[in-house]
């Protein structure tokens, strides 16, 4: 496997942005599943779980914005 070009800083920034984007995508998929009823029977705290997942989406977005603000726009 060939190593990606770029400085270590650029590679780390890119990896973190990918992680945060994946965190957002995962939480949004789970929210969609909860809202469309594609959940395990016996799920009782729909609003609480969606609230927690939205917190993950917001946290990932905030981390991406902070990373871009201080370390570039990669």
């Amino acid at each position: 496997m060939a190593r990606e070009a770029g400085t270590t800083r650029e590679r780390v920034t890119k990896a973190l942005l990918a992680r945060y984007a994946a965190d957002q995508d995962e939480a949004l998929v789970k929210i969609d599943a909860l809202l469309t009823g594609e959940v395990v029977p016996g799920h009782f705290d729909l609003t609480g779980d969606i609230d927690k997942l939205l917190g993950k989406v917001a946290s990932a977005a905030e981390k991406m914005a902070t990373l871009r603000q201080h370390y570039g726009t990669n």
Side-chain angles (χ1 to χ4, degrees), residues 5-70:
T7 66
T8 299
R9 179 179 172 161
E10 291 168 339
R11 291 171 42 216
V12 168
T13 299
K14 183 178 178 181
L16 287 171
L17 290 172
R19 174 185 292 181
Y20 302 147
D23 289 348
Q24 281 187 316
D25 288 343
E26 179 183 10
L28 291 169
V29 165
K30 289 177 181 179
I31 291 169
D32 289 343
L34 289 169
L35 292 176
T36 59
E38 301 171 20
V39 295
V40 177
H43 190 90
F44 297 108
D45 190 14
L46 184 62
T47 55
D49 286 345
I50 291 174
D51 182 60
K52 288 176 190 174
L53 291 166
L54 284 173
K56 289 182 179 187
V57 171
S59 175
E62 183 177 340
K63 287 177 181 181
M64 284 191 283
T66 301
L67 185 63
R68 287 183 173 125
Q69 177 184 359
H70 294 283

